[in-house]
Amino acid sequence: MVNGSTIMPEKKELPEQVPTVVEVRTPARVHLGMLSFGVPTVRSFGGIGIMLDRPGVHVRLQKSEQFLARGPLAERALEFAQNCVSAWDLGAQAACTIEVVSTPRAHVGLGSGTQMALAVAAGMRQLFRPPLPEASAEADNDPTNDEWLFDTNDAIHCAQAVGRGRRSCVGVYGFSRGGLIIEAGRIVPATPGVKGEGVSPMVARVRLPSAWRCVIIIQRDSIGLYGELEKAAFARLPPVPIEISAELARLALMQLLPAAVEANFTDFSDAVYRYGQLAGKPFEQESLKLPHAASTADVIELLGELGVRGCAQSSWGPAVMACCESLDAAGTLVEKLESLNLTRQYEAIIARYDSQGAVLRSIS
């Protein structure tokens, strides 16, 4: 859904020749926070995310006689590929060499794990052609048929093979066509061992104005929670009060979403800040233990003093998104950060809000 209108990709037949080399480029993801979790009668893990054109994942896969991987996070990429072989029953002949050309730093709030997993799965799917869901519409309307975008069913099919989207699905939906995404969450039964609903449904996707930019500010020496530590943190957290969930839903659906649709930057920025501040409250019991908690709060306060209203931490941090109305405004903000010598301690990356999602290119 873009500005209230549903856009469906044109279906085309895939080329008969199966490629031997493909590459996939993905956007990055910021997560502004969850709507709720922990209340059995209320959907859990829904929330808001925004896709950015950088710093994304770039991988290249080539058919080979055995699995090999090189580059940053190569072992994770190899594990994702082997998950695909098992999930899709591809057989021993389905092997490839994976080159991780580039990827954001892991566990800083940019969704690199999900994007890496989906990129590898998309590459494996294109190289070895497992049976696809009936509704899959993989081809984009590029007349050369050398590049493809992905629809929602493609992204979910890939995510299921590599075990992503078990909590938030923002990165999965964002892999398909980018955008500002609001997902509703899913019902999680209170009884251990009882399987809940599957994929959290996406209730809105908006393409943000092409002129808008953001600056992603990331503390260089810190990472957020992930893996078993994150699971343990969720287990210790109390349920989100329904009153907070209600106010987050109001902010999302009555302020943030309309401002995005109407391209009202001032209201959008205000809603980003208010949503981010409130969404972080239920997590404070655990998030305040993180080494970057105080410095992240200081960065958000400083951004406000510099005139940037729309700023929020992504996920467990340390990444912070600062909204800017134009490229010039983003450049000015980075110059101010440099003048304060903050870029020694923090990366500052100017990004565009992505409205395309991941792209797969067939090299041969």
Side-chain angles (χ1 to χ4, degrees), residues 105 107-109 217-224 273 276-277 280 287-304 311-322 342 345-346:
R105 190 153 56 95
H107 313 306
V108 296
I217 303 165
I218 312 170
Q219 188 169 325
R220 296 183 185 276
D221 60 352
S222 189
I223 60 175
Y273 176 77
Q277 290 293 300
S287 64
L288 291 178
K289 300 176 185 177
L290 296 172
H292 57 262
S295 58
T296 298
D298 290 343
V299 165
I300 292 175
E301 182 178 0
L302 174 64
L303 288 169
C311 52
Q313 176 177 293
S314 176
S315 188
W316 293 104
V320 171
M321 179 185 73
L342 286 179
Q345 185 180 357
Y346 298 91

Side-chain angles (χ1 to χ4, degrees), residues 12-19 22 126 129 138-140 142 144-148 360 362 364:
K12 296 177 66 177
E13 294 297 325
L14 294 175
E16 293 183 2
Q17 182 181 2
V18 177
V22 297
Q126 187 73 352
R129 301 294 172 87
E138 189 173 3
D140 186 37
D142 186 296
T144 66
N145 238 7
D146 290 331
E147 294 189 353
W148 291 271
L360 182 147
S362 176
S364 61

Side-chain angles (χ1 to χ4, degrees), residues 96-165:
C96 64
T97 296
I98 305 171
E99 179 185 1
V100 182
V101 180
S102 62
T103 182
R105 190 153 56 95
H107 313 306
V108 296
L110 295 180
S112 62
T114 293
Q115 297 306 306
M116 171 78 75
L118 296 175
V120 170
M124 290 289 291
R125 198 172 90 147
Q126 187 73 352
L127 288 177
F128 301 107
R129 301 294 172 87
L132 301 181
E134 288 184 9
S136 180
E138 189 173 3
D140 186 37
N141 55 7
D142 186 296
T144 66
N145 238 7
D146 290 331
E147 294 189 353
W148 291 271
L149 304 181
F150 300 89
D151 73 1
T152 299
N153 291 308
D154 295 321
I156 291 174
H157 185 237
C158 289
Q160 290 171 338
V162 289
R164 310 305 289 193

Side-chain angles (χ1 to χ4, degrees), residues 9-31:
E10 176 187 348
K11 291 191 178 184
K12 296 177 66 177
E13 294 297 325
L14 294 175
E16 293 183 2
Q17 182 181 2
V18 177
T20 59
V21 185
V22 297
E23 67 177 15
V24 184
R25 297 174 185 264
T26 81
R29 183 274 290 142
V30 292
H31 199 297

